[in-house]
Amino acid sequence: MKPAFSVIFFTVMSGAGLGLMVWLLVATMMSAHIRMPNVTFINGVIIAAAFIVVGLCSSTLHLANRKNVIYSLTQFRTSWLSREGVFALALFPIAGLYLWLRSAAAPTVVVHGLALVLIALAIIILFCTGMIYGCLKTIPRWNSWLTPTKYVLFGLMSGALLFVAILSTRSAEIGPLGRPWVAIVLLAAGLLVYLGYLLKHPRKQHTINDALGLKQGQVRLLDVGHTHGTFLTNEFGFQLAREKARLLRWLSIALGFVLPLVLLFFSNTPPFAPVVACLIGLFVERWLFFAEAEHVVRLYHGQQHV
Amino acid sequence: MKLGLAIDLDTCVGCHACAVACKEWNGKSLMGGAPDYDPYGSAPSGTWYNRIRQYELDGDPSFTPQGCGSTHQPLSKTINVPMSCMHCEEAHCVTVCPTGASYKRAEDGIVLVDPDRCMGCNYCSWACPYGARELDADQGVMKKCTLCVDRIYDQQLPESERQPACVLACPTHARHFGDYDDPASKVSQLAAARGRQDMLGDLGYKPVNAYLSPRKPAQVEAVALRQGLSDKAKAFVNRLISL
Ligand code: SF4
Ligand code: SF4
C-alpha cells in the first residue's frame, strides 16, 4: 500500500494524544499516588488536544473531495471509518463537559465517572482506527486481531511516555517506586506485540492461481494492459526493497521501543528524549505498516503470491 | 433481479474494445465521467471502469503428441481477462464506505457510487479485491462500472441496445448481460453449462459476474501408423539422403 503521509501522521499523533489523555485522567483519579500540580494537568490537556486535533485535521488531507466529509458520520452501522469519526467527534463535547465539571468542583463521583467514560472513548477510538485496517480481507497482512491491538497499545504507550515527560516538567511524584512503571510495562508489551506482528505470517496466502481461478498450472502475466501507472498501481503497487525494509524494521524496534525502554529504566536523561525517540520510531513503524502491506489486487498485476 | 455479466475466457481475444466502448459511453455520461490524465504525453494514465490483462497458463509438462495423461490442457494458453466491477453479493466496498456514497441497489443488485456524497477517501477501493474502483482525480470521487445503468433501462433505445456498452462492442461476443436470478436467462445458462472461475472466492465477496471457464481441449485418439513396404522404402531413401 502507498504510505500516505497524512494518514501516518494522523495515526501516530492522535494515538499519542489519546494515550496522553488516558493517563492524565488516570492520574487525576489516583491522586493518592501521583501528585500532579494543576498546571501540569492543564498543560497536559492542551498538548493532548493539540495532538488529537492536528492528527484529525491531517487525516482529512488525503481526501479528494473534502466538501462531503460531513457525510462520513452517517454509516456508523457498518463502517469502522465512520465509527471512528463519530467517536472522535463525541470526544470533544464530553471532554469539555469534564473540564467544566472539574473546574466547577462537581462531586468526585461525577467527575471520575466522566473520566472513565473519556478513557473508554479514547480506547474505542484507537480500536476503531485499528479496525479500519484490520477488517480488510483484501490485505491479508492487516487482517488480524494484532492490528487493532497494535493501535490501542501503541497509542497508550506513546501517551504514557508523553505523560511521563510532561509530569517531569514540574516537581511531581510519579509513584511509590520512583520509576514510570506504566510506561515501562507498556513499552515492553508494545515491543512484544510488534515483534509478534512482524513474525506472524498472514493466516491466508493467496496466489495468482486463486485470483484467476486457474488451478491447472503455472500462471504468469503477459501484459498488464496499461502503458503507464494507473490508480491501482499507484495505490497498491508500492514496492519496498527487502534491504530497506529490514533496516527500517530494526530502526523502528530500536527507536520506538528499545531505546525509550533503556532510557526510562536506567537513566535520568532529559525526560523528553524517550518520547521523541518513541514517536520517531512509531512514525517508521507506521510507514512500514503501509509500505509492507500487500493488497490482493497485486495478483492481477502479475505478483505470484500475496 | 441480479444483473451481471458473463465473460467468456475462451473467446475473448483481448482486443480492449469493451474498455474503449466503456470509456466512450461513460466518459461523458450522467453517472460516469472517466477522465484521462496526460493522454498524449509521456506518462498517459486515466480512470477506467474496465481493464483487460493477459495471462499465460502453462501447458502440461508431461504432454506428448500421443496424448496427455491429465485433464490439463496440453500446450500453454493465453487467457485474456477483462475485469470490471463484479457487482458482488457481499459487496464489502459498500459496507466500509463511511459516507454512504457507495450502495448496492436492492432491485437489481447494481453497485453504484453517489458522486454527491463521496468524499474521495479511497477506502472502498481498498476493500475491493478485484481492482474495480478507481478515483476520478478531476472530480475527486470514486468511479466504477455502473453496468451502464443509464442504458439498460432507457426506453428511448431499441430493446436490443438496452445492454452495457462493453457487451454491445465485443467483436467476439465474449460478453453477455443478463439476470442471474432468472435460471432461464442466457447468462445463467452459460454459467451453468460452462462453469464459472472461482476468483478469490475464499474472501467471500460472492461476485455476480461469471467468468466462463476455458474449455478443456478435446482428447484426440492417437492412432498408430501402419507402415507398408513403400513407407519403409521411403524411410530408407530418406535416411540415405540425410547421410
Ligand atoms: S467487484 Fe469490487 S467494487 Fe464491485 S461490488 Fe465487488 S467489491 Fe465492490
Ligand atoms: S471513496 Fe467515496 S465511495 Fe469510496 S469509501 Fe470513500 S466516500 Fe465511500
Side-chain angles (χ1 to χ4, degrees):
Chain A
M1 305 293 292
K2 182 180 71 184
F5 180 75
S6 62
V7 178
I8 295 171
F9 187 79
F10 153 61
T11 54
V12 174
M13 292 303 272
S14 53
L18 290 166
L20 173 60
M21 194 189 90
V22 166
W23 297 118
L24 282 169
L25 292 169
V26 170
T28 60
M29 290 196 290
M30 296 176 56
S31 47
H33 300 286
I34 306 177
R35 256 183 291 285
M36 169 172 66
N38 201 38
V39 194
T40 311
F41 177 77
I42 298 297
N43 286 346
V45 168
I46 291 171
I47 292 174
F51 270 54
I52 298 171
V53 171
V54 166
L56 284 179
C57 290
S58 121
S59 77
T60 63
L61 284 184
H62 81 286
L63 302 180
N65 195 20
R66 233 160 295 151
K67 70 174 191 298
N68 282 344
V69 74
I70 188 68
Y71 293 119
S72 71
L73 304 175
T74 58
Q75 303 304 305
F76 186 84
R77 224 166 40 79
T78 61
S79 168
W80 286 103
L81 186 47
S82 191
R83 287 172 197 160
E84 184 202 45
V86 170
F87 285 126
L89 282 192
L91 189 71
F92 292 95
I94 300 180
L97 183 63
Y98 171 83
L99 289 176
W100 178 70
L101 285 177
R102 196 180 127 95
S103 63
T108 321
V109 201
V110 179
V111 175
H112 283 188
L114 214 50
L116 286 176
V117 171
L118 281 172
I119 291 173
L121 204 53
I123 292 174
I124 289 172
I125 295 169
L126 289 169
F127 180 76
C128 289
T129 311
M131 283 309 287
I132 290 175
Y133 307 108
C135 76
L136 294 172
K137 283 190 227 142
T138 47
I139 304 170
R141 194 85 193 79
W142 291 351
N143 190 220
S144 131
W145 58 271
L146 279 171
T147 302
T149 312
K150 237 164 59 111
Y151 274 84
V152 174
L153 194 56
F154 292 1
L156 293 178
M157 179 186 91
S158 52
L161 287 175
L162 207 50
F163 176 61
V164 170
I166 289 167
L167 210 53
S168 64
T169 54
R170 274 162 205 276
S171 60
E173 267 176 49
I174 291 183
L177 300 172
R179 264 188 222 294
W181 279 106
V182 170
I184 290 174
V185 168
L186 282 173
L187 275 169
L191 179 60
L192 285 182
V193 167
Y194 187 38
L195 290 178
Y197 177 82
L198 289 178
L199 293 175
K200 183 179 179 289
H201 290 289
R203 207 170 345 133
K204 183 105 188 72
Q205 276 258 323
H206 302 273
T207 63
I208 191 169
N209 302 73
D210 301 332
L212 294 163
L214 297 169
K215 305 286 165 82
Q216 305 92 311
Q218 186 78 41
V219 173
R220 65 188 177 92
L221 179 74
L222 288 182
D223 187 78
V224 75
H226 56 80
T227 50
H228 199 76
T230 68
F231 171 79
L232 299 173
T233 59
N234 180 42
E235 196 76 2
F236 307 113
F238 188 84
Q239 293 283 0
L240 181 61
R242 203 178 291 241
E243 277 309 303
K244 192 173 164 199
R246 261 169 60 96
L247 187 76
L248 288 175
R249 252 182 243 152
W250 282 110
L251 192 70
S252 63
I253 292 173
L255 281 181
F257 304 90
V258 178
L259 185 63
L261 201 57
V262 171
L263 287 178
L264 278 190
F265 197 83
F266 290 111
S267 66
N268 298 323
T269 43
F272 279 92
V275 68
V276 171
C278 177
L279 286 180
I280 296 174
L282 286 185
F283 271 112
V284 178
E285 178 272 328
R286 212 51 50 89
W287 190 87
L288 276 175
F289 176 75
F290 289 95
E292 288 195 296
E294 294 185 322
H295 192 284
V296 290
V297 80
R298 293 167 76 110
L299 299 170
Y300 295 105
H301 291 79
Q303 189 164 311
Q304 290 288 331
H305 298 274
V306 157
Chain B
M1 275 201 297
K2 202 158 89 186
L3 296 182
L5 302 173
I7 297 164
D8 192 333
L9 292 184
D10 255 348
T11 44
C12 172
V13 290
C15 68
H16 294 245
C18 51
V20 173
C22 169
K23 199 71 162 159
E24 178 75 25
W25 178 257
N26 288 301
K28 308 183 224 40
S29 78
L30 218 56
M31 294 296 300
D36 285 323
Y37 318 117
D38 193 19
Y40 306 108
S42 57
S45 185
T47 302
W48 294 73
Y49 304 174
N50 183 15
R51 290 184 181 274
I52 296 92
R53 305 188 185 91
Q54 302 182 331
Y55 303 89
E56 182 188 56
L57 176 61
D58 253 5
D60 183 354
S62 66
F63 169 76
T64 63
Q66 270 69 48
C68 57
S70 65
T71 53
H72 188 164
Q73 55 176 26
L75 298 172
S76 76
K77 179 180 171 68
T78 301
I79 298 181
N80 305 297
V81 185
M83 288 194 76
S84 53
C85 175
M86 309 264 218
H87 301 281
C88 304
E89 286 181 61
E90 298 294 330
H92 292 301
C93 56
V94 169
T95 53
V96 303
C97 171
T99 62
S102 280
Y103 61 104
K104 185 170 173 69
R105 301 188 353 151
E107 63 269 38
D108 52 17
I110 299 181
V111 174
L112 292 174
V113 180
D114 177 354
D116 294 330
R117 275 180 92 94
C118 173
M119 64 175 186
C121 66
N122 291 353
Y123 191 33
C124 54
S125 73
W126 294 13
C128 172
Y130 307 109
R133 291 174 168 253
E134 301 193 12
L135 190 79
D136 172 340
D138 288 356
Q139 292 179 29
V141 298
M142 196 49 73
K143 292 296 168 68
K144 64 181 289 303
C145 160
T146 65
L147 213 58
C148 283
V149 68
D150 48 355
R151 284 190 68 88
I152 56 178
Y153 296 113
D154 188 348
Q155 304 292 327
Q156 311 275 308
L157 292 173
E159 190 160 356
S160 62
E161 283 182 31
R162 286 179 217 156
Q163 297 196 61
C166 56
V167 173
L168 292 172
C170 178
T172 62
H173 298 293
R175 303 175 73 89
H176 309 271
F177 165 70
D179 176 12
Y180 281 99
D181 261 352
D182 172 8
S185 72
K186 187 169 68 177
V187 286
S188 300
Q189 303 255 310
L190 277 169
R194 293 277 303 281
R196 42 163 81 216
Q197 293 297 100
D198 173 22
M199 292 178 162
L200 295 176
D202 53 348
L203 295 185
Y205 283 62
K206 299 208 196 126
V208 168
N209 285 6
Y211 285 85
L212 306 177
S213 304
R215 294 179 186 85
K216 301 267 154 44
Q219 288 278 336
V220 180
E221 265 316 305
V223 183
L225 283 178
R226 244 196 34 230
Q227 295 227 313
L229 195 60
S230 69
D231 294 314
K232 282 182 181 152
K234 274 184 203 154
F236 178 70
V237 172
N238 278 343
R239 286 233 306 281
L240 270 185
I241 292 169
S242 60
L243 263 182

